[in-house]
Amino acid sequence: MLVSETIETYELQVGDQSELSTVETTALFNKVCRKIAMTHTWVWLQKSASVTIAGTDASLASDYAYILETYDDANGAPNAMAHVTPDGGTSYSRVFVIPFNQRRMYKDNKSACYVDITNSKIVFMTSEYSGQVMEIDYVYSPATFILTDVIPFPQGIVDAIPHLMAVEFNIIEQGEKGMSYSGENLGMYREYLSDMIYQNDLHLTYGSRI
């Protein structure tokens, strides 16, 4: 579904209450999308990246939000990690991603790295892997949408967007009629979101289709 079509659904819900311009309504749409993206670890926002390490640094993608835990530890425990492999190789070394504030504890430890969000990079504790390829799994932040974009979200999320837009609009405008429907719209949004979280977590466990 197009962004413009979803906005039309929202406008049907708020009727003639809205005095927002097209630019303001599109900005509201993007605000709601960012809010939904941050509510859960969605499988449809998961990506992988392969980056060549230069010295001790590997650049993060511009849409990087946060790193994903993986389950390839011998005991099945989840860990946040980067995988490093020689370019074109089939074997890899696991390098654990440690919290930024613990980096001094792991000085010169080749099995550790950390995310430097401020400078958009992953920093390895030694230069041993320089020139090799780092692979990570991460959650990305959706780009800003325009009216002609196709929304790359599951249908349940697309259905939820107009309801949250209406709630957010009513917070801005605080019109009497709109506020009277806020509870209904919030309830519908939460119902859609709950269903999508359930399906999302089934996918994480069993690989089901959303």
Side-chain angles (χ1 to χ4, degrees), residues 140-180:
Y140 76 91
S141 297
T144 299
F145 296 106
I146 60 174
L147 291 174
T148 54
D149 284 338
V150 175
I151 307 171
F153 300 164
Q155 187 59 47
I157 295 296
V158 174
D159 292 338
I161 290 172
H163 294 288
L164 187 56
M165 286 182 70
V167 172
E168 293 287 334
F169 164 75
N170 291 327
I171 292 173
I172 297 169
E173 295 290 320
Q174 295 188 339
E176 182 177 344
K177 181 180 178 181
M179 293 301 289
S180 68

Side-chain angles (χ1 to χ4, degrees), residues 88-161:
T90 56
S91 61
Y92 64 83
S93 300
R94 291 180 302 169
V95 182
F96 292 88
V97 182
I98 60 172
F100 180 84
N101 61 0
Q102 293 182 15
R103 66 194 186 283
R104 296 178 184 86
M105 298 168 54
Y106 290 85
K107 184 178 180 181
D108 299 327
N109 187 330
K110 69 177 184 179
S111 297
C113 62
Y114 64 89
V115 177
D116 181 352
I117 287 291
T118 302
N119 296 299
S120 299
K121 62 184 180 181
I122 288 182
V123 181
F124 292 80
M125 309 311 293
T126 75
S127 60
E128 179 170 332
Y129 298 119
S130 183
Q132 297 187 33
V133 176
M134 173 201 74
E135 296 181 359
I136 60 168
D137 296 331
Y138 70 99
V139 170
Y140 76 91
S141 297
T144 299
F145 296 106
I146 60 174
L147 291 174
T148 54
D149 284 338
V150 175
I151 307 171
F153 300 164
Q155 187 59 47
I157 295 296
V158 174
D159 292 338
I161 290 172

Side-chain angles (χ1 to χ4, degrees), residues 12 17-19 38 41 115 128 141 192-193 197:
L12 287 174
Q17 305 171 69
S18 179
E19 296 182 356
M38 291 187 294
T41 302
V115 177
E128 179 170 332
S141 297
Y192 280 120
L193 194 70
I197 288 174

